[in-house]
Amino acid sequence: MKKWYAVIGDPIAHSLSPFMHETWFKENGIEASYIPVRVEPADLAKACESLLLMGASGFNVTLPHKQAIIPFLSGIDETAGSMNAVNTVIRKDRKFFGLNTDGDGFVQSLLTTEPERDAKILVIGAGGAARGICFALSRANFENVTIANRTYRRAEELAEETDASAMTIAEAEENLGNFDIVIQTTSVGLAEDEALPLSISNMKSDALAADIVYNPIETPFLKAAEAKGCRTLSGVGMFVYQGAIAFEQWTGKKPDTEKMIQLITETLGGNYVNR
Ligand code: ATR
């Protein structure tokens, strides 16, 4: 029987996951489909039950359901547990099991820039996305991570859990020149044009600036960093690698990530993956 997969979220119409996974199914000669399903928060339990009954082989979970879905799954792995969020669901023995590939997806994207393991890394933000990234950086043996967040207490808590250091945003601004890699994980700049989570005037011109947002490809943070001459890494890589890890979990095959990064960059109308 032809297998099928889905992504659930609200909104979901603009998700690039169906394009990405269907392209990879074709490239790997796998007979399967991948459909976007809009699920309103109140319908999440029913949606999970329906996906199970109707035979979905797995699915992705996006906003606003990444946390809320956990009670409707039969279990989650350690990574999803430490993030308290799920972005990928696999089917095992007529049950759904949750994983989170976002943090590892980011780190795989970062690794394409060939960073030193002792690079001084600043993570801006301490929300769900930052949690995934900090745990994944620690698993990948990056030893020198500092977290700065508007709400300092959250930075401190995450730093304690991941053996990192914490700074206030003001301290991070002042010490920005010491960092080799600056990772922006907040939603600042999405709602408001040109807004930044912190002033980057002290950033080194040979530092790498990475954003987790991929649409727009050129976020205000990356634009400002590029204007200072910094290298930049857009969120497209994280999006593609989180999907690639999910694809491998579902099919056992490693998809072509490099070609997909190019395709999505073109689809989004950018020419801006400056690594
Ligand atoms: P996500 O799962 O996308 O990371 P989240 O858990 O709501 O979302 O976290 C959002 C992050 O962006 C947090 O680090 C948040 O800072 P606070 O912990 O202080 O709330 C940060 N953030 C959101 N809006 C911000 C703003 N206007 N200025 C600075 N930081 C902001």
Side-chain angles (χ1 to χ4, degrees):
M1 203 168 67
K2 186 172 176 179
K3 291 193 170 179
W4 68 279
Y5 298 81
V7 55
I8 64 167
D10 185 18
I12 201 64
H14 297 293
S15 170
L16 289 172
S17 291
F19 164 76
M20 178 162 74
H21 286 284
E22 293 218 318
T23 303
W24 282 339
F25 287 141
K26 263 190 227 126
E27 284 177 1
N28 286 277
I30 297 169
E31 274 244 9
S33 330
Y34 185 110
I35 53 167
V37 183
R38 179 167 165 243
V39 173
E40 289 180 23
D43 295 330
L44 188 57
K46 278 191 282 180
C48 284
E49 217 179 299
S50 308
L51 286 159
L52 195 64
L53 283 175
M54 293 174 72
S57 293
F59 59 98
N60 285 125
V61 184
T62 187
L63 300 179
H65 305 314
K66 288 186 174 190
Q67 193 170 350
I69 194 158
I70 294 175
F72 309 122
L73 302 172
S74 61
I76 58 175
D77 78 347
E78 200 186 326
T79 305
S82 60
M83 294 170 69
N84 196 27
V86 161
N87 80 330
T88 299
V89 172
I90 55 177
R91 187 188 183 104
K92 264 195 203 159
D93 310 328
R94 298 181 60 84
K95 283 181 187 155
F96 282 145
F97 192 76
L99 317 173
N100 200 312
T101 68
D102 283 332
D104 289 325
F106 176 82
V107 169
Q108 287 196 13
S109 170
L110 181 66
L111 290 178
T112 65
T113 68
E114 301 182 353
E116 302 289 345
R117 283 303 196 278
D118 62 353
K120 293 197 171 67
I121 301 180
L122 176 68
V123 175
I124 308 164
R131 289 190 76 77
I133 288 170
C134 290
F135 278 98
L137 287 170
S138 159
R139 280 194 295 279
N141 300 319
F142 286 95
E143 305 151 356
N144 226 321
V145 177
T146 301
I147 303 159
N149 192 46
R150 176 179 62 178
T151 309
Y152 178 64
R153 183 183 46 77
R154 291 182 89 189
E156 253 184 338
E157 282 169 7
L158 181 55
E160 201 160 302
E161 285 178 74
T162 56
D163 277 333
S165 313
M167 275 185 183
T168 62
I169 293 285
E171 285 167 341
E173 282 178 342
E174 198 178 318
N175 293 291
L176 208 55
N178 296 330
F179 291 99
D180 306 306
I181 299 174
V182 181
I183 305 167
Q184 143 36 41
T185 75
T186 76
S187 43
V188 176
L190 275 186
E192 231 181 294
D193 271 0
E194 311 308 329
L196 298 178
L198 84 179
S199 155
I200 66 158
S201 57
N202 290 334
M203 193 156 161
K204 284 198 292 196
S205 61
D206 61 349
L208 174 76
D211 209 313
I212 64 162
V213 172
Y214 67 92
N215 193 6
I217 291 186
E218 256 188 89
T219 63
F221 172 68
L222 293 184
K223 273 192 214 165
E226 197 195 15
K228 284 191 73 81
C230 299
R231 287 186 303 151
T232 59
L233 179 68
S234 88
V236 174
M238 174 182 182
F239 173 68
V240 169
Y241 282 104
Q242 64 73 34
I245 303 168
F247 188 87
E248 200 177 342
Q249 287 284 342
W250 292 330
T251 66
K253 302 242 157 102
K254 273 192 196 299
D256 186 338
T257 44
E258 213 165 292
K259 193 158 108 197
M260 186 54 64
I261 288 173
Q262 267 174 20
L263 274 174
I264 290 189
T265 306
E266 280 163 25
T267 305
L268 293 175
N271 50 9
Y272 186 82
V273 179
N274 154 21
R275 289 181 283 170

